[in-house]
Amino acid sequence: MKSTLHTSGKKTVHVLNDLIRINMDRVTGFEKAAHEERTPGAQFRDAFYRMAIEGRSYINDLHAKVIRMGGAPVTQATITGKIYLHWVEADNRFDGADDASLLAACRAAGAATEEAYHYALEEQLPQDLHELLENQLWSLERAHRQLHTIK
């Protein structure tokens, strides 16, 4: 079956797929952090679970947009696009040696994710996609601020 996406549509799908990959990694990272035996207290676990659930929601929304555009959404977090690579270069690891390291890694991942969304918003996107990404970014920023309140 031949793709009906034009060049700008392919670029938009690529940007969305990069964000899907980032969110897949976020979900995996936050779920791992939530399940760590050394993760102290309900405040940490609740925050990590909530961020994983939000990430799944972002993935679902982005998948739906890619499908509506006639593209194929990614289903695995594989290293490809420039937005995703920018995020990976931030060295996001959720397996720190102690609580402070784990929390610092989660905070760094949040900051890098926000940067990736800002980068994506610089692209020429249809208005509905731009609004979706802005809304997701707003939620990401709020979650990132919450990470800074956890001690």
Side-chain angles (χ1 to χ4, degrees):
M1 182 172 154
K2 187 176 179 180
S3 175
T4 59
L5 286 174
H6 50 63
T7 304
S8 67
K10 288 179 184 177
K11 185 175 182 179
T12 299
V13 166
H14 191 73
V15 167
L16 296 178
N17 277 333
D18 280 348
L19 294 175
I20 290 169
R21 287 181 188 97
I22 290 166
N23 279 294
M24 287 176 169
D25 277 354
R26 284 183 69 248
V27 167
T28 300
F30 283 123
E31 286 177 345
K32 180 178 179 183
H35 288 100
E36 286 288 322
E37 282 187 28
R38 62 181 170 69
T39 298
Q43 184 181 15
F44 278 88
R45 290 185 195 282
D46 289 349
F48 295 154
Y49 279 125
R50 186 175 52 255
M51 288 177 209
I53 289 167
E54 288 173 354
R56 288 188 188 284
S57 174
Y58 303 157
I59 292 167
N60 290 338
D61 292 344
L62 295 168
H63 268 211
K65 291 292 186 183
V66 169
I67 290 168
R68 276 189 221 117
M69 293 181 68
V74 294
T75 57
Q76 298 180 33
T78 57
I79 299 174
T80 57
K82 61 184 177 181
I83 295 172
Y84 181 78
L85 290 174
H86 173 75
W87 185 81
V88 170
E89 287 170 2
D91 198 29
N92 297 294
R93 296 198 165 117
F94 292 87
D95 56 358
D98 57 27
D99 298 337
S101 300
L102 176 65
L103 192 53
C106 291
R107 289 173 178 160
T113 302
E114 288 173 29
E115 285 183 46
Y117 268 79
H118 283 289
Y119 189 76
L121 285 165
E122 291 175 7
E123 299 291 331
Q124 292 293 329
L125 301 172
Q127 185 64 30
D128 65 322
L129 288 178
H130 192 84
E131 289 173 8
L132 172 66
L133 297 187
E134 281 183 332
N135 288 335
Q136 288 184 355
L137 176 59
W138 179 82
S139 292
L140 288 164
E141 290 169 343
R142 185 189 56 192
H144 192 196
R145 283 190 304 273
Q146 288 173 344
L147 278 177
H148 284 279
T149 65
I150 297 174
K151 305 267 186 246

